[in-house]
Structure formats: structure tokens, C-alpha cells
Amino acid sequence: EVQLLESGGGLVQPGGSLRLSCAASGFTFSTYAMSWVRQAPGKGLEWVSATSSSAGSTYYADSVKGRFTISRDNSKNTLYLQMNSLRAEDTAVYYCARRLWLEGGPFDIWGQGTMVTVSS
Amino acid sequence: ERVMTQSPATLSVSPGERATLSCRASQSVSSNLAWYQQKPGQAPRLLIYGASTRATGIPARFSGSGSATEFTLTISSLQSEDFAVYYCQQDNNWPLTFGGGTKVEI
């Protein structure tokens, strides 16, 4: 079964850091581009960051640029999101999502999400 | 940035009726437009990509059309399980952007 499982969410103070992980299984992880998408409580979806299949290219939303870093370890079938200098507005459910093709496309597989709460 | 605008924000329909959801892009996104369904407490599910291609396992009552800046998702005969929030998303340009969503309610 194709599956994505996020972990690492929790409560963190403003200015703090958190590292999210997304473990992939059931498919050849190294052949798919991946992304992080978040959803603030009661709000819509917001794309956060993306990486190509080889991690040779990375992209960020302006709202997180310079604070978040996406990475992947294809040997461990795992996607990461390092989040620094966290703000209250970063509070959201964070989903990892597989993109349909090698270098892009829509999000065809989603994890169940991990909640990040930034609050003092 | 391509701003995606969905209308209406809320659509009230009865089971068995047809639902038509709209998505407009601020600039052309070619046919690189996807639709997702999200139910409360669940992750989004891909319905349509490439503006009109149904994703694997998606029933034929869901159809997508449009190109450039105007797109439509049609649900031909609403079933009880179709009541949810629907999002459009463009993957033609960075940053990737989603519409604000349309809630389909009874």
C-alpha cells in the first residue's frame, strides 16, 4: 500500500524550531517529487515547499523562505521539513504529499498530517 | 504569483442534483490545474488533474473542464459522500497555489 506518514509535530514557542519527517512506503520514493502543504485551523490549503526527486531543486513559499528547509533522504525513503524561527501564523496541520511525476505534477498521495502549534 | 479564485464559497445542493464549481486563475496556468476533495478531519484527495483527467479510482460523475484561466468541476449527480470542501490548485508556475475552496453542503 502506498503510504506517507508524518511525524514530529507538537507545541513549540515562538522563535523555536521543529523538524518534521515524512516516511514513505509502498512506492519508489526516489522517483517522485515531494512537497509539504499546510492548513491552518479552519482555513484552506497552503503550499509550503517542494523538492525534486533527486533533491537537486527546492522551492519555497515566500511566507517560509529563509526559515524552513526541505530535504530528503532517498536511502531512507524520508522527506523532512526543518522549521526555524517559528511564528504563531505557522500553526497548522502539515501534510507531506507526493507529486504525480518525477519533477512535478499535482499531489496524488497525501499523508494524514501532523499538527504544529506555535504558542507561548 | 497565480492567484486562484473559487466560486461560490458555499454551494447548497440536494442529493442527486448537479453541482458546478468554478475556479479562475489570475493569469494563464495552461491546463495545469487540479481539483481536490477534502472531508472534515481528512487529508485532501486528488480528483482531477490536467484540468480534465480523473485520478485513479475517481467516479465518472466527477468531471473537469477548462484551460488558461477558467476552470470548472462538475459533479453530475451528487451522492451523500460528495458533500465536502473542494479546492483547485495550479502547478504551472511557482509558487504552487490553491484556491480558497468551495464547500458543497446539503
Side-chain angles (χ1 to χ4, degrees), chain B residues 16-82:
Chain B
E17 289 187 339
R18 181 186 192 92
T20 303
L21 289 65
S22 295
C23 176
R24 175 176 292 177
S26 61
Q27 300 175 69
S28 177
V29 297
S30 187
S31 293
N32 296 309
L33 191 285
W35 290 94
Y36 301 86
Q37 176 193 68
Q38 188 179 33
K39 297 179 181 179
Q42 296 185 16
R45 177 174 71 144
L46 177 65
L47 298 176
I48 300 285
Y49 64 93
S52 61
T53 302
R54 274 190 303 277
T56 303
I58 301 304
R61 64 181 181 273
F62 291 92
S63 63
S65 63
S67 65
T69 62
E70 299 284 343
F71 301 89
T72 300
L73 174 70
T74 301
I75 311 171
S76 59
S77 177
L78 272 156
Q79 306 297 302
S80 57
E81 62 266 31
D82 300 334

Side-chain angles (χ1 to χ4, degrees), chain A residues 35 37 39 43-47 50 59 95 99-101 105-108 110-111, chain B residues 1 34 36 38 42-46 49 87 89 91 94-100:
Chain A
S35 266
V37 176
Q39 187 169 36
K43 302 298 184 182
L45 301 169
E46 179 189 16
W47 170 76
Y59 306 88
Y95 296 101
R99 300 190 72 187
L100 190 56
W101 301 305
F107 308 112
D108 69 329
W110 297 67
Chain B
E1 173 176 324
Y36 301 86
Q38 188 179 33
Q42 296 185 16
R45 177 174 71 144
L46 177 65
Y49 64 93
Y87 295 94
Q89 176 249 329
D91 61 350
W94 301 104
L96 307 182
T97 48
F98 289 89

Side-chain angles (χ1 to χ4, degrees), chain A residues 18-29:
Chain A
L18 215 52
R19 187 200 201 198
L20 306 182
S21 299
C22 171
S25 59
F27 65 99
T28 306
F29 181 70

Side-chain angles (χ1 to χ4, degrees), chain A residues 5-67:
Chain A
L5 187 62
E6 302 95 336
S7 61
L11 175 63
V12 61
Q13 293 188 337
S17 298
L18 215 52
R19 187 200 201 198
L20 306 182
S21 299
C22 171
S25 59
F27 65 99
T28 306
F29 181 70
S30 62
T31 63
Y32 287 89
M34 298 292 296
S35 266
W36 290 96
V37 176
R38 69 184 181 184
Q39 187 169 36
K43 302 298 184 182
L45 301 169
E46 179 189 16
W47 170 76
V48 173
S49 182
T51 176
S52 61
S53 57
S54 65
S57 298
T58 57
Y59 306 88
Y60 298 92
D62 285 347
S63 58
V64 306
K65 200 172 293 182
R67 301 187 298 122

